[in-house]
Amino acid sequence: MNTLIKLEIARTLRNKKFMFFSVLYPAGLYLMIAGGASNTEIIGDTGLTLPLLMMVSMASFGAITAVLVGNSERIAKEREKGWVRQLRLTALPGRGYVTAKVASAAVVSLPSILVVFVIAAAVKDVRMDAAWQWLALVGAIWAGSIVFAALGVAVGYLATGDAVRPITMIIYFGLSMLGGLWMPTTTFPTWLQKVAEWTPTYAYAGLGRSIEQAHAPELKHVALLVVYLALFAGMAAWLYRKDTRKG
C-alpha cells in the first residue's frame, strides 16, 4: 500500500495541468474575488473581512479540487484500462487500494492550501491574532479534505471513463457554490441558506472560519463531516466490491 501511495503521489505531481488546476487556479480565483476588497470592512455577521473569509473558502476549494476531481477521473480511467483488475491479482487488499487513493489525494491537497494562504498574506496582508490559528487552519482544511477524497473514490467507481468528468464537475461546482465557497451564503435566499447549512462544503468551510474567529469548531460542522465521511467511504467500499464482482 505504501508503494501505491508513493506511485500515486508521483503520478499526480507529474501532471502539470492537474497541478495548475488544483494549486494555481484557486489562488487566482482568490485574487479575482478578494483582490480589490477592503481589509477592514466586515462582511455581514461573520466578523471577518472578505479577504479573510475568502482565504478559507479558496483554500478549501483548492483542496476539494485536488482530492475530488483528481481521484474520480483517475479511478474511472484506471478501471477502463484494466489497471484496477491487475492490482486485484496482487497481494493488495481492496481496502488498501481505497486507502491509498484517499491518502495520496490528501497529500497532494496540501500545496493548494498553502499557496492560497501565502497569496493572501503577501498580497492582501491577511493577518490573524495568533500563530496557532495558521497551523490550525492548515490542519483543519487538510484533514477535512479526506471527506471529499472518499467522495472522489465513490464517483470514480460509479461513473464510466466518458461520464466521470461531467458528473464530477456537476458535484464539484454544485457543492462549491451551494456551500458558500465562492460567495457568502448570506447572499442566498433564506430557504437556500437553510439547505446550504447541511452540505459538506458548508461544514468544511465552517471549520476554518471558526478558527479564524479564534473559536472552537462548531459541533454541528464536525458531526456533519464525520457523517459524510462515513457515507462516502461506505459508498466507495460498496461500489468497489460491486466492481470486483463484476470483473
Side-chain angles (χ1 to χ4, degrees):
M1 185 172 68
N2 291 335
T3 302
L4 183 59
I5 291 174
K6 292 176 183 178
L7 175 63
E8 290 295 329
I9 294 172
R11 288 174 61 195
T12 304
L13 293 177
R14 286 198 298 266
N15 188 333
K16 294 180 181 179
K17 290 182 179 178
F18 175 73
M19 290 305 294
F20 170 83
F21 190 59
S22 62
V23 176
L24 298 182
Y25 176 55
L29 280 179
Y30 174 80
L31 290 176
M32 287 177 59
I33 297 171
S38 169
N39 276 1
T40 56
E41 184 180 352
I42 302 300
I43 303 299
D45 58 355
T46 65
L48 302 171
T49 63
L50 187 63
L52 198 53
L53 185 71
M54 295 309 299
M55 182 180 75
V56 162
S57 293
M58 288 299 105
S60 301
F61 178 68
I64 292 173
T65 304
V67 299
L68 174 57
V69 178
N71 250 0
S72 61
E73 293 193 6
R74 277 196 299 272
I75 290 172
K77 290 176 182 178
E78 287 173 359
R79 287 171 56 222
E80 280 198 342
K81 293 178 180 178
W83 171 242
V84 175
R85 190 178 301 110
Q86 292 296 319
L87 284 176
R88 292 191 190 117
L89 300 177
T90 70
L92 180 72
R95 65 180 181 279
Y97 175 81
V98 175
T99 302
K101 287 293 185 182
V102 172
S104 59
V107 171
V108 173
S109 70
L110 185 58
S112 61
I113 300 169
L114 296 178
V115 168
V116 171
F117 282 9
V118 169
I119 292 295
V123 177
K124 293 300 297 178
D125 197 31
V126 168
R127 298 291 183 270
M128 283 183 281
D129 294 336
W132 68 264
Q133 289 173 284
W134 290 102
L135 297 175
L137 271 178
V138 172
I141 297 173
W142 194 16
S145 70
I146 295 174
V147 175
F148 302 93
L151 176 59
V153 175
V155 174
Y157 277 103
L158 180 66
T160 63
D162 291 333
V164 67
R165 176 161 292 189
I167 290 174
T168 301
M169 289 297 109
I170 290 171
I171 295 171
Y172 167 64
F173 286 115
L175 285 178
S176 296
M177 289 187 287
L178 187 57
L181 298 187
W182 287 10
M183 63 186 73
T185 56
T186 51
T187 62
F188 296 173
T190 303
W191 68 269
L192 192 56
Q193 290 183 40
K194 294 184 182 300
V195 173
E197 290 176 2
W198 293 96
T199 61
T201 36
Y202 183 90
Y204 183 39
L207 293 181
R209 288 166 188 164
S210 294
I211 293 171
E212 284 184 322
Q213 296 166 337
H215 299 156
E218 291 186 24
L219 183 59
K220 177 184 175 181
H221 294 161
V222 175
L224 269 177
L225 289 175
V226 170
V227 169
Y228 275 114
L229 176 59
L231 176 64
F232 296 152
M235 188 188 307
W238 179 75
L239 289 168
Y240 179 87
R241 290 193 295 269
K242 182 180 177 182
D243 191 70
T244 300
R245 290 193 296 270
K246 187 187 302 182

